[in-house]
Amino acid sequence: MANKEQTKLMDGLKKATTEMMVLFMLRKQPMYTYEIMKAIEQVSNHVLVYNTLYIAINRLCKNGLIEEASKSLTDDNHVRIYYKITDAGNRYLDYAIQEYHRISAAIEQVISS
């Protein structure tokens, strides 16, 4: 079980990459928030588990990187909002992935020296 410092480190690393993960999932197809959370969790073999993505979703919408694609009503009368990535979001994601790889490689170089 992770101690307080380990949990804080993991939370910080997740927070730094959350928007990139959301954009990457939406690049594949439009999804609703809970679906994005579960997709990230599944693809990451349960390493990246989010309690909520609403703050990231709102920030991405506000910045024009994602937008509402459609809405649907569930059997229990809840509205599901599906989001899709915008052209600006695709450009930003390409840049974010490039920078992530550049920084990861630099960190690996430092800790391997």
Side-chain angles (χ1 to χ4, degrees), residues 21 26 28 30-31 33 40 50 80 82 85 92 94 110:
M21 297 291 100
L26 292 178
K28 294 179 177 191
M31 296 182 184
T33 303
I40 292 170
Y50 296 93
R80 276 193 186 143
Y82 288 80
I85 192 168
Y92 178 82
D94 288 339
V110 169

Side-chain angles (χ1 to χ4, degrees), residues 30-33 35 68-83:
M31 296 182 184
Y32 58 96
T33 303
E35 185 179 21
E68 195 176 296
S70 64
K71 291 182 182 179
S72 69
L73 196 59
T74 65
D75 292 337
D76 57 352
N77 289 327
H78 286 92
V79 176
R80 276 193 186 143
I81 301 172
Y82 288 80
Y83 295 95

